[in-house]
Amino acid sequence: MDKPQDKNWRTKLHEIIYEADTPAGKLFDVVLLIVILASILLVMLESVKSIDSKYHTILNVSEWIITVLFSIEYIARIVTVRKPFKYIFSFYGIIDLLSTIPKYISLFFGGIHALAALRALRLLRIFRILKLARYLGASLRLLSALRASRAKISVFLFTVVIIAIILGTIMYLVEGEENGFSNIPKSVYWCIVTLTTVGFGDIAPQTPLGQFIASLVMILGYGIIAVPTGIVSAEYTSQIKKDENEEEKVKQPVHLNTQVCPNCSTEKHRDDADFCYHCGHKLNDE
Amino acid sequence: MDKPQDKNWRTKLHEIIYEADTPAGKLFDVVLLIVILASILLVMLESVKSIDSKYHTILNVSEWIITVLFSIEYIARIVTVRKPFKYIFSFYGIIDLLSTIPKYISLFFGGIHALAALRALRLLRIFRILKLARYLGASLRLLSALRASRAKISVFLFTVVIIAIILGTIMYLVEGEENGFSNIPKSVYWCIVTLTTVGFGDIAPQTPLGQFIASLVMILGYGIIAVPTGIVSAEYTSQIKKDENEEEKVKQPVHLNTQVCPNCSTEKHRDDADFCYHCGHKLNDE
Amino acid sequence: MDKPQDKNWRTKLHEIIYEADTPAGKLFDVVLLIVILASILLVMLESVKSIDSKYHTILNVSEWIITVLFSIEYIARIVTVRKPFKYIFSFYGIIDLLSTIPKYISLFFGGIHALAALRALRLLRIFRILKLARYLGASLRLLSALRASRAKISVFLFTVVIIAIILGTIMYLVEGEENGFSNIPKSVYWCIVTLTTVGFGDIAPQTPLGQFIASLVMILGYGIIAVPTGIVSAEYTSQIKKDENEEEKVKQPVHLNTQVCPNCSTEKHRDDADFCYHCGHKLNDE
Amino acid sequence: MDKPQDKNWRTKLHEIIYEADTPAGKLFDVVLLIVILASILLVMLESVKSIDSKYHTILNVSEWIITVLFSIEYIARIVTVRKPFKYIFSFYGIIDLLSTIPKYISLFFGGIHALAALRALRLLRIFRILKLARYLGASLRLLSALRASRAKISVFLFTVVIIAIILGTIMYLVEGEENGFSNIPKSVYWCIVTLTTVGFGDIAPQTPLGQFIASLVMILGYGIIAVPTGIVSAEYTSQIKKDENEEEKVKQPVHLNTQVCPNCSTEKHRDDADFCYHCGHKLNDE
C-alpha cells in the first residue's frame, strides 16, 4: 500500500528503533538508555531542595529537552510499527506515553512527579543491549521456577498476613497506646516490620510481656523466611534437572505403551512397533 | 427420622454452607468472605481513635449487623450438619463461636477486643473458594516437607534460644544498666532481636566490647539463618524428587539397547527382545 | 574392688543419673531439667531491679537451695562414675562445676553473675529425655552437613570481615565523626550491622554519598546472605542423597576392578572374581 | 645473566617470600600476617580520639616501623621476582604499594587515612598459609557456582534497583518532606534499606498509607530474598552433582544383572558375561 521508497525508510527506522542487531540499532539503544538514566537523575535532583533552588533553570530546560526527545521517539515508534494500536496499548507503549505526559501537564497544573517514577520501568529495555539471549534465557528459567511456585508462595504470603493480623491485634492489646501501638492497623504494620526481620525500631515493645511475644514473632519470622527460599530453590533445582533430562531424552526419545501382543501377551512395546519384539507376531494396531 | 421434605431443605442448606461446588454454595462462600474481611476492617477502624470518635455510631451498628449475621451462620451450621457436636468442638467451630461472643459480652462489660483477632483465622476459609485442589496440593507437599524437618528445626530453635540466653547474660554483664541492658530478660530479648537480624535499635550496645560481641552475635545470626533454609529446601527438593520418581516408575521401567535389526535396521529394542518390533524378524542375540 | 553391695548402689545410682532408659532415670532427668530451668529463671528475675528489691530474700534462699542441689548432683556424678577425672574435665563436668561455684564465691566477694549464663548450657541435657535417637539422628546429619561446608563457610566469613573492614574505613572517611561514625572500629561495627541486615539504626549515614555507599553495602549484604544458605542447603541435599544411595548400594555392593583376563583381555572383573566372566579362563590373582 | 651465587640468594629469597612450602617461607608468611593485622589494628586505634590523644607517639612510631617493614618487603618482592613489572601492576603489587604510600605522603600533607583500608586486602594472603588446596578448592567450586549464576543475579539486582526507584518515588509522594522523605534519592535509599530487610529506622513512614505501602515493600523484600538464595543453592547443588557424576563414571560404568551361575550359584554377573567370574562355568544365556 505504501510507496516502495516510503516503506523503505520506515523499515529502516523500524530496524533502528526496535532492533539491536545493526550498529545503528545498537547505537540508538545505547543513546536511549543514557537519556533514560539522565531523565531519572533529573527527576531525582529536582526533588532535592538545595539543588533545585540553585540550578532550577538548567534542570527545567534539560527536563524539557528530554521530554521532547521522548515525545519524538514515541511518535517515531508509532509511525514505524506495523500495528500502531498494538504498540500503543502494549506494556512498553503505555510506559513510554506516561513518561512524557507529566511534563506537558505541568504546564497547566504545576509540577506533578507522580508518574516520573514510571520512567524507571523504561530501564527494562536495557536487557535488549546486553547479551540478550543469555540474560533472558537465565531469567526465563527463573521466571518459570517462580511461576511453578506461585501457588505455594500465595499460600505462604496469605498465611503471613493472617499471622500478622492476629499477632498485631494481640500486641495492641498487650502494649497499648502508651507504647506506640496506638491502633490495630499500626500494630499489624509493626508485626509485618518484625516478621520480615526489617525492624525499623520506630515502634518497639516496652512491656516484658510485649517483648516476650515480640521474641516469639521474631523467631517465627526467622523460621518462616526459610519457606519461600526453600520453595524457590527446590523448584529451581528441579527446573535445571528437567532441562538436563530433556537433553538426555534427545538421545533416547522412545515411549513404551501398554499394548499386549496377541500371540505371546508380552507388554510394553514401542509406540511405533508393528511386530512383537518377543515372538515376532504382528501387533494389532489400534 | 426427619420428614423427607425437612431433610430436603437441610441437605440443600448444608450443600450451600459447607460446599463450594454449586453456584449457590460458591456465592455463599464469597459473601461470607467479604463479610469476614469487613468485620476485620471494622475492628481495625474502631481501634483508630480519630476514626472511632467521628463514626462511632456507624461502626457500632455495622459491628452489630455483622455479629448477628455471624450468629445466624453459626446456628445454621449447627442445624444443617449431621454431627453438630463434632462441628462445635472442631477448630472452625470454636473459631466461629469465639468471633461472635465478644460483641455480646461487650453489652454487659464494655468493649473487649481480645478475641476479635480470632476473626482473622476465619479467613482460612478462603482456600475453599480458590482452586482448592491445586492450592492445597501445593501446601500439603510443603507441609509434609516441614513435618519431615520438624525434629531438625526443633533442635535448631532450641539451640538458638540457648545461645540467646548465654549471649544475653554476657551482654548484660558487659553493657550494664546504663546502656539500656537493664536486666537479663531484656538482654536476652535484645539478643533474639539481633540474632534474628530484626535489629529494632531501641537497645543498642554502646561500649566497644559490647559492640564487638554484638558483631559476633550478628555474624552468628547471619550464618545460622542458613540452617533452617537449608533444611527446608533440602527436604522439599527430596520431596519433589520422590514424587517424580514415582511418576517415572509408572511410565518407563524398561531399558532400550542399541541393537539393530538385521532385516530392517531399526534401532532401540528392549534388552530382552528376541524379535524386531518393527518387522518381526528374529534378532541376532550375541 | 568394692564390696558387692556397695557396688550395687553405685551402679544403681549411675543408672539413675547417667541414663534415661529406666523410669527412675527418666524421672531424675525431668526433675533435673525443671531445676535447671528454675535456676535460669531465678538468675533472670534477680537481675530485674523491681523484682529483686521486693522478693530479695525468697530469691536468695531459692538460689541457695538450687546451688546445694546442684552440688549434691555434682558430687553424686563424681562418686558413681567409673573414671571420675574423665567426667570432671569433660565438657559437661566443667559446666556442672561452674554453675555451682559462683554462689559460693558470692559469700566472700558479693554477687557475681558472670558464670550464671553457663547454666543455660546445662539445658543441652534436654535432648536425652526427648526421643533421643530421632532428634540426635537429625542433628547428626545436619552437623555432618555443616562440617562438610566448614571450609567454605570459613572462607565466606573471612571475606565478610575483610569487606566490613574496608567499607567501614571508607564510611568513616565519608561520614566522619559528626554523623556518629566517630572512629574506624565503630564504622566497622556499623558495617557488620548493615551487611548482616540487622540495621539497629543507632548509627545511620546522613550524607548523600554515605547513603549511596550504604545502599551498596546493603544490596551486597542482601546478595551474600545467599551464599551460606546455598552452601548448607546444597551440602544437606547431597547428604540426604548419599544416605539414599547407601541404602541402594546394599542391594548392589559390588566393585569392579581393572584386572585384565590373561586369555581374552576383557576388563572390569568383580573384585572377588577367580575366573574371567567372558571366556572362563582362570584369572591371575595378585 | 646474574652470577650463580647472586642468583642463588635471589632464588632463596623468592622461595621464602613467594612460597609457603619451606619452613622459612611459612614463618615469613605468618610473621607478615601478624604485621598486617597489627597495622590494621594501629589504623583503627589511631582513629579512636581518646586512645590517640593518650598514646599518640607510640602509635605513630609503630606505624612508621610497620611502614618501613612493608617498604622493605615491597622492594624485596620486586628484586626477587623474575618479571618485576608483572608483579608491580598485579592486584597484590598495587595493594602492596598503596598500603605503604599514605604514611610517606602524610609527612608532607598531614594524615590521610583513605588508603589505609586497602591494607585489609593484604589479609587475603592468609589463604596461602592455611591448608591452601582444601580451602581454595572449596571456594573455587563456590566461585564457579557464583559465576554460573552471575547473569541471573545481575537480572535480579537490576530488578531490585528498578523496584527501589519506583517505590522510592511513590513513598516520596505519599509521605513527603515532613516525615523525613525529604527528596527522591533519600526515598530510594529508604526503599533499599527496607527491601533488603536492614531497616535502620532513621526514616520511617508515619502516614497510614505510607505504612501500608511500606508493608508491601517489606513483604516483597522478604519474598525476593528467596530468589538469589534459590539461584545460588540450585547452581551449587548441580555443581556438586556434576563432580559426583564424573567420579562415578570413572568408577563403575558396567551394569550387573541378577543371573545366577548354574554351577556355583554366584550372583551379579555383568550383562555381557558368558562365563561365571567365580568358577569359569559357561553361563546360560537366555
Side-chain angles (χ1 to χ4, degrees):
Chain A
M1 284 78 155
D2 297 304
K3 282 171 287 182
Q5 214 207 325
D6 181 50
K7 198 182 166 186
N8 206 28
W9 70 257
R10 273 182 60 188
T11 317
K12 235 173 165 176
L13 207 62
H14 182 270
E15 227 176 75
I16 291 170
I17 294 177
Y18 283 93
E19 281 155 46
D21 300 326
T22 58
K26 214 161 196 170
L27 184 72
F28 175 84
D29 276 358
V30 172
V31 170
L32 181 62
L33 207 81
I34 292 166
V35 176
I36 293 171
L37 284 170
S39 78
I40 291 170
L41 202 71
L42 269 178
V43 174
M44 284 191 169
L45 289 178
E46 259 182 292
S47 78
V48 183
K49 278 277 149 64
S50 59
I51 294 175
D52 189 47
S53 60
K54 234 175 171 174
Y55 306 103
H56 184 73
T57 333
I58 303 173
L59 289 174
N60 197 31
V61 171
S62 317
E63 178 78 356
W64 269 113
I65 293 170
I66 282 171
T67 306
V68 170
L69 284 176
F70 278 0
S71 308
I72 294 170
E73 183 220 345
Y74 182 64
I75 292 163
R77 277 183 192 275
I78 294 177
V79 172
T80 57
V81 86
R82 270 201 200 169
K83 300 179 180 171
F85 285 100
K86 208 177 162 189
Y87 163 69
I88 289 170
F89 296 106
S90 72
F91 174 72
Y92 279 125
I94 291 164
I95 297 292
D96 289 353
L97 179 66
L98 289 179
S99 59
T100 55
I101 280 191
K103 197 63 190 171
Y104 293 113
I105 294 175
S106 74
L107 273 182
F108 309 102
F109 302 101
I112 302 165
H113 280 296
L115 294 167
L118 291 168
R119 285 189 184 166
L121 283 175
R122 303 199 76 200
L123 279 176
L124 290 173
R125 292 186 192 275
I126 206 176
F127 293 112
R128 207 168 45 188
I129 316 173
L130 301 171
K131 276 168 204 157
L132 190 78
R134 191 173 141 231
Y135 278 77
L136 280 192
S139 41
L140 281 181
R141 204 194 262 172
L142 188 61
L143 268 180
S144 82
L146 287 178
R147 205 169 297 136
S149 45
R150 199 176 36 181
K152 282 151 240 164
I153 286 178
S154 302
V155 170
F156 168 73
L157 285 184
F158 193 73
T159 314
V160 167
V161 169
I162 290 179
I163 291 172
I165 290 175
I166 294 169
L167 289 174
T169 311
I170 291 171
M171 283 304 283
Y172 165 72
L173 295 166
V174 168
E175 286 284 322
E177 268 171 75
E178 61 277 17
N179 294 321
F181 293 76
S182 47
N183 51 55
I184 295 179
K186 208 167 193 173
S187 291
V188 172
Y189 160 72
W190 172 86
C191 209
I192 291 173
V193 169
T194 307
L195 263 179
T196 55
T197 76
V198 172
F200 283 132
D202 53 341
I203 315 163
Q206 302 299 327
T207 63
L209 181 57
Q211 292 181 341
F212 179 72
I213 296 172
S215 299
L216 295 183
V217 173
M218 281 177 266
I219 289 175
L220 192 68
Y222 195 54
I224 59 180
I225 205 170
V227 175
T229 310
I231 294 171
V232 172
S233 95
E235 289 291 343
Y236 194 62
T237 304
S238 83
Q239 205 78 23
I240 288 179
K241 213 163 36 185
K242 250 182 227 164
D243 289 13
E244 280 167 5
N245 283 352
E246 262 161 43
E247 281 169 31
E248 261 171 46
K249 266 186 197 159
V250 175
K251 299 179 213 151
Q252 194 194 75
V254 181
H255 179 252
L256 296 176
N257 57 27
T258 53
Q259 258 185 95
V260 177
C261 172
N263 185 39
C264 66
S265 295
T266 48
E267 289 178 9
K268 308 225 180 227
H269 300 276
R270 286 178 48 143
D271 273 346
D272 52 342
D274 297 319
F275 294 90
C276 175
Y277 67 88
H278 184 66
C279 66
H281 195 277
K282 184 91 174 65
L283 292 173
N284 295 332
D285 225 328
E286 312 173 78
Chain B
M1 283 79 153
D2 297 305
K3 284 170 288 182
Q5 214 206 328
D6 182 48
K7 198 180 165 185
N8 206 28
W9 69 256
R10 272 182 61 189
T11 317
K12 235 173 167 176
L13 207 62
H14 183 272
E15 228 175 76
I16 292 170
I17 294 176
Y18 283 94
E19 281 155 46
D21 300 326
T22 58
K26 214 162 195 168
L27 184 72
F28 175 84
D29 275 358
V30 172
V31 170
L32 180 63
L33 209 81
I34 291 165
V35 176
I36 293 171
L37 283 171
S39 79
I40 291 170
L41 201 72
L42 269 180
V43 174
M44 284 192 169
L45 289 177
E46 258 181 293
S47 77
V48 183
K49 278 277 147 67
S50 59
I51 294 173
D52 189 47
S53 60
K54 232 173 170 176
Y55 306 103
H56 184 72
T57 334
I58 303 173
L59 289 173
N60 197 30
V61 170
S62 317
E63 178 77 357
W64 270 113
I65 293 170
I66 283 172
T67 305
V68 169
L69 285 176
F70 278 0
S71 308
I72 294 170
E73 182 220 344
Y74 183 64
I75 292 163
R77 277 183 192 275
I78 293 178
V79 171
T80 58
V81 87
R82 270 202 200 168
K83 301 180 180 170
F85 285 102
K86 210 179 161 187
Y87 162 70
I88 289 170
F89 296 107
S90 71
F91 174 71
Y92 279 124
I94 292 164
I95 296 293
D96 288 353
L97 178 65
L98 289 178
S99 58
T100 55
I101 280 191
K103 197 64 191 170
Y104 295 112
I105 293 175
S106 73
L107 274 183
F108 310 101
F109 302 101
I112 301 166
H113 281 296
L115 293 168
L118 290 169
R119 285 190 184 166
L121 283 175
R122 302 199 76 198
L123 279 175
L124 290 172
R125 291 186 192 275
I126 206 175
F127 293 112
R128 206 169 45 187
I129 316 172
L130 301 170
K131 278 168 203 160
L132 190 79
R134 190 171 141 234
Y135 278 76
L136 280 193
S139 40
L140 281 181
R141 203 194 263 171
L142 188 61
L143 267 181
S144 82
L146 287 178
R147 205 168 298 134
S149 43
R150 200 176 35 182
K152 283 151 237 164
I153 285 178
S154 303
V155 170
F156 167 74
L157 285 184
F158 192 74
T159 314
V160 167
V161 169
I162 290 178
I163 292 172
I165 291 174
I166 294 170
L167 289 175
T169 311
I170 291 172
M171 283 304 283
Y172 166 71
L173 296 165
V174 168
E175 287 283 322
E177 268 172 75
E178 62 276 18
N179 294 321
F181 294 77
S182 46
N183 51 55
I184 294 179
K186 207 167 194 173
S187 291
V188 172
Y189 161 72
W190 172 87
C191 209
I192 291 174
V193 169
T194 307
L195 263 179
T196 55
T197 76
V198 172
F200 284 132
D202 53 341
I203 315 164
Q206 302 299 327
T207 63
L209 181 58
Q211 293 181 341
F212 180 72
I213 297 171
S215 299
L216 296 183
V217 173
M218 281 176 267
I219 289 175
L220 193 68
Y222 195 54
I224 58 181
I225 205 170
V227 175
T229 310
I231 294 170
V232 172
S233 94
E235 289 292 341
Y236 195 62
T237 304
S238 82
Q239 204 78 20
I240 287 179
K241 210 162 42 184
K242 252 181 229 165
D243 289 13
E244 277 168 6
N245 283 351
E246 266 161 40
E247 279 172 31
E248 255 170 50
K249 266 182 201 161
V250 175
K251 254 207 287 186
Q252 194 197 64
V254 181
H255 179 253
L256 297 175
N257 58 27
T258 53
Q259 258 184 96
V260 178
C261 170
N263 184 39
C264 67
S265 294
T266 48
E267 289 178 9
K268 308 220 182 232
H269 300 275
R270 286 179 49 143
D271 272 347
D272 51 341
D274 297 320
F275 294 91
C276 174
Y277 68 89
H278 184 67
C279 66
H281 194 275
K282 182 92 173 67
L283 293 174
N284 295 332
D285 225 328
E286 313 173 73
Chain C
M1 284 78 159
D2 296 304
K3 283 173 285 183
Q5 216 207 323
D6 181 49
K7 199 181 164 186
N8 207 27
W9 70 258
R10 272 183 60 190
T11 317
K12 236 173 166 176
L13 208 61
H14 182 270
E15 228 175 76
I16 293 170
I17 295 177
Y18 283 94
E19 281 155 47
D21 300 325
T22 58
K26 215 162 196 169
L27 184 73
F28 175 83
D29 276 357
V30 172
V31 170
L32 180 62
L33 207 81
I34 291 164
V35 176
I36 293 172
L37 283 171
S39 78
I40 291 171
L41 202 72
L42 269 179
V43 174
M44 284 191 169
L45 290 179
E46 258 182 293
S47 77
V48 183
K49 277 276 146 66
S50 58
I51 294 174
D52 189 48
S53 59
K54 234 175 171 172
Y55 306 102
H56 184 73
T57 332
I58 304 173
L59 289 174
N60 197 31
V61 170
S62 317
E63 178 78 357
W64 269 114
I65 293 170
I66 282 171
T67 305
V68 170
L69 284 176
F70 278 0
S71 308
I72 293 170
E73 183 219 346
Y74 183 64
I75 292 163
R77 277 183 193 275
I78 293 177
V79 171
T80 57
V81 85
R82 269 202 200 168
K83 300 181 180 171
F85 285 101
K86 208 177 163 188
Y87 163 71
I88 290 171
F89 296 107
S90 71
F91 174 72
Y92 279 123
I94 293 165
I95 296 293
D96 288 353
L97 179 65
L98 290 179
S99 58
T100 55
I101 280 192
K103 197 63 191 170
Y104 294 113
I105 293 175
S106 73
L107 274 183
F108 310 101
F109 302 102
I112 301 165
H113 280 297
L115 293 167
L118 290 168
R119 285 190 184 166
L121 283 176
R122 303 198 76 199
L123 279 176
L124 290 173
R125 292 186 192 274
I126 206 175
F127 292 112
R128 208 169 43 187
I129 316 173
L130 301 171
K131 277 169 202 158
L132 191 77
R134 189 169 142 234
Y135 278 75
L136 280 192
S139 41
L140 280 181
R141 203 194 263 172
L142 190 60
L143 267 180
S144 82
L146 288 178
R147 205 169 296 136
S149 44
R150 199 176 36 182
K152 282 151 239 164
I153 285 177
S154 303
V155 170
F156 168 74
L157 286 184
F158 193 74
T159 314
V160 168
V161 169
I162 290 179
I163 291 172
I165 291 175
I166 294 170
L167 289 174
T169 311
I170 291 171
M171 283 305 283
Y172 166 71
L173 296 166
V174 167
E175 287 284 322
E177 267 171 76
E178 62 276 16
N179 294 321
F181 294 77
S182 48
N183 51 55
I184 294 179
K186 209 167 193 173
S187 291
V188 172
Y189 160 72
W190 172 87
C191 209
I192 291 173
V193 169
T194 307
L195 263 178
T196 55
T197 77
V198 171
F200 284 131
D202 52 341
I203 314 165
Q206 302 300 328
T207 63
L209 181 58
Q211 293 181 340
F212 180 73
I213 297 171
S215 299
L216 295 184
V217 173
M218 282 176 266
I219 289 175
L220 193 68
Y222 195 54
I224 58 181
I225 206 170
V227 175
T229 310
I231 294 171
V232 172
S233 95
E235 290 292 342
Y236 195 62
T237 305
S238 82
Q239 205 77 22
I240 287 178
K241 213 163 37 186
K242 249 181 230 164
D243 289 12
E244 280 168 4
N245 283 351
E246 262 161 44
E247 281 170 31
E248 261 172 46
K249 266 187 198 158
V250 175
K251 298 179 215 151
Q252 194 193 76
V254 181
H255 179 253
L256 296 176
N257 57 27
T258 52
Q259 258 186 96
V260 178
C261 172
N263 184 40
C264 67
S265 295
T266 48
E267 289 177 8
K268 309 226 180 227
H269 299 274
R270 286 178 47 144
D271 273 346
D272 52 341
D274 297 320
F275 293 91
C276 175
Y277 67 87
H278 184 68
C279 66
H281 195 276
K282 184 92 174 67
L283 292 174
N284 296 333
D285 226 328
E286 312 174 76
Chain D
M1 283 81 156
D2 296 306
K3 282 172 286 182
Q5 215 207 323
D6 182 47
K7 200 180 166 186
N8 208 28
W9 70 259
R10 273 181 60 190
T11 316
K12 236 172 164 176
L13 208 62
H14 182 271
E15 229 175 75
I16 292 170
I17 296 176
Y18 283 93
E19 282 155 45
D21 300 325
T22 58
K26 216 162 194 169
L27 183 72
F28 175 84
D29 276 357
V30 172
V31 170
L32 181 63
L33 209 81
I34 292 165
V35 176
I36 292 171
L37 283 171
S39 78
I40 291 171
L41 202 72
L42 269 180
V43 174
M44 284 191 169
L45 290 178
E46 259 182 292
S47 78
V48 183
K49 277 277 147 66
S50 59
I51 294 174
D52 188 48
S53 61
K54 233 175 171 174
Y55 306 103
H56 184 73
T57 332
I58 303 173
L59 289 173
N60 198 29
V61 170
S62 318
E63 178 78 356
W64 270 113
I65 293 170
I66 281 171
T67 306
V68 170
L69 284 176
F70 278 0
S71 308
I72 293 170
E73 183 219 346
Y74 183 63
I75 292 163
R77 277 183 191 276
I78 294 177
V79 171
T80 56
V81 86
R82 269 203 201 167
K83 300 180 181 171
F85 285 101
K86 209 178 162 187
Y87 163 69
I88 289 170
F89 295 108
S90 72
F91 174 72
Y92 279 124
I94 291 164
I95 296 293
D96 289 353
L97 179 65
L98 289 178
S99 59
T100 56
I101 280 191
K103 197 64 191 171
Y104 294 113
I105 293 175
S106 74
L107 273 182
F108 309 102
F109 302 100
I112 303 166
H113 280 297
L115 294 168
L118 290 168
R119 285 189 184 167
L121 283 175
R122 303 199 76 201
L123 278 176
L124 289 173
R125 292 186 191 276
I126 207 175
F127 292 113
R128 209 168 43 186
I129 316 173
L130 303 170
K131 276 170 204 157
L132 190 78
R134 191 171 140 232
Y135 278 77
L136 280 193
S139 40
L140 281 182
R141 202 193 264 173
L142 189 61
L143 267 180
S144 83
L146 287 178
R147 204 169 297 136
S149 44
R150 199 177 36 181
K152 283 151 237 164
I153 285 178
S154 302
V155 170
F156 168 74
L157 285 184
F158 192 75
T159 313
V160 168
V161 169
I162 290 178
I163 292 172
I165 290 175
I166 294 170
L167 289 175
T169 310
I170 292 171
M171 283 304 284
Y172 166 72
L173 296 166
V174 168
E175 286 284 322
E177 266 171 77
E178 63 276 17
N179 294 321
F181 294 77
S182 46
N183 50 56
I184 294 179
K186 207 166 195 174
S187 291
V188 172
Y189 160 72
W190 172 87
C191 209
I192 291 173
V193 169
T194 307
L195 263 179
T196 55
T197 77
V198 172
F200 283 132
D202 52 341
I203 314 164
Q206 302 300 327
T207 63
L209 181 58
Q211 293 180 342
F212 180 73
I213 297 171
S215 300
L216 295 184
V217 173
M218 280 176 266
I219 289 176
L220 193 68
Y222 195 54
I224 58 180
I225 206 170
V227 175
T229 311
I231 294 171
V232 172
S233 95
E235 289 292 340
Y236 195 62
T237 305
S238 83
Q239 205 78 22
I240 287 178
K241 210 162 40 185
K242 253 181 227 164
D243 290 12
E244 277 168 6
N245 282 351
E246 266 160 40
E247 279 171 32
E248 255 171 51
K249 266 182 200 161
V250 175
K251 255 206 283 183
Q252 195 198 63
V254 180
H255 180 252
L256 298 175
N257 57 27
T258 53
Q259 259 185 95
V260 178
C261 172
N263 184 39
C264 67
S265 295
T266 48
E267 288 177 10
K268 308 221 182 230
H269 300 275
R270 287 179 48 145
D271 272 347
D272 51 340
D274 296 320
F275 294 90
C276 175
Y277 68 88
H278 185 65
C279 67
H281 195 275
K282 183 91 174 65
L283 293 174
N284 294 333
D285 224 329
E286 314 173 74

